[in-house]
Amino acid sequence: APLCLLLSGWLTWRLANHLWTSATPRRNTAIGALAVALLFTSYEALTRSLVPMADAAATAATLLTLLALLRARATDRLRWSALAGLALALAYTIRHPLLPLALAALPALATNQWPWRRRLTHLTLFGALALAAALPDLWYHRIAFGSPWISESAEWFLLSPSNIPATLASLWRDGCLRRNEFGYLWPFIL
């Protein structure tokens, strides 16, 4: 878990520098350092990386998925779409509720200036590799639980539309405003 948090820090650095490029390398370094500092000062990220839990690994797989999608969009190279699909399958295998992360591929790959055939090639490769890499887990669920769509986790109810207001209220109350999470940033934000 600590190594996954360090990997998440490096991927955060790369993602921040990909999203916010400036003319000066010094400013890029500052932006990347700020993004990594936010991750490394997160109470949840630190405490979840000190015990063998899936959170740090899920963070790394999620960041890799997003970074690979952005690289695919920027370079029009199919290998990045393939890596994004594999990273999504890894994120899904680590934490099943990360499945909606697949929706990130739509704006990243389908709204580009490429011809429609090229967009569909990227999306198909992304989806095919994500599904192929997730098949062993889906097969396990079919054998163990009788259906590939039944999860061993009781967290799925949290994704229910009826639970969204309560979850958002809890995140706002117990996450964003907590001093030991990101509450210390509110004076800077305001």
Side-chain angles (χ1 to χ4, degrees):
L3 292 177
C4 285
L5 182 63
L6 291 175
L7 176 61
S8 295
W10 181 76
L11 289 167
T12 299
W13 177 281
R14 299 291 309 228
L15 189 61
N17 279 285
H18 182 79
L19 289 172
W20 289 284
T21 57
S22 67
T24 64
R26 184 178 218 169
R27 185 172 293 174
N28 289 347
T29 301
I31 289 169
L34 177 62
V36 173
L38 288 173
L39 175 67
F40 285 168
T41 58
S42 165
Y43 177 79
E44 293 293 325
L46 287 176
T47 57
R48 300 290 194 263
S49 70
L50 297 176
V51 292
M53 292 183 69
D55 295 74
T59 301
T62 299
L63 289 166
L64 182 58
T65 302
L66 295 173
L67 184 59
L69 283 171
L70 289 173
R71 296 290 298 155
R73 180 180 175 86
T75 64
D76 190 17
R77 293 202 173 123
L78 291 173
R79 67 180 177 195
W80 288 110
S81 292
L83 178 61
L86 293 173
L88 173 66
L90 179 62
Y92 159 78
T93 302
I94 295 168
R95 303 270 305 166
H96 295 325
L98 287 173
L99 189 58
L101 179 61
L103 296 175
L106 293 176
L109 300 176
T111 61
N112 211 322
Q113 298 298 328
W114 310 322
W116 272 105
R117 184 179 210 152
R118 187 65 174 176
R119 295 180 211 184
L120 289 175
T121 302
H122 275 276
L123 284 168
T124 302
L125 183 62
F126 168 80
L129 283 174
L131 179 61
L135 280 176
D137 185 67
L138 294 172
W139 180 257
Y140 162 75
H141 284 252
R142 186 189 149 328
I143 299 299
F145 304 114
S147 170
W149 313 119
I150 296 176
S151 175
E152 67 273 339
S153 172
E155 293 179 335
W156 278 106
F157 80 95
L158 294 173
L159 298 177
S160 165
S162 64
N163 199 42
I164 290 175
T167 301
L168 284 176
S170 174
L171 285 173
W172 183 254
R173 181 184 63 250
D174 298 332
C176 292
L177 295 178
R178 275 193 349 214
R179 265 190 338 246
N180 63 352
E181 189 57 44
F182 294 118
Y184 69 91
L185 292 176
W186 282 109
F188 299 111
I189 293 170
L190 294 175

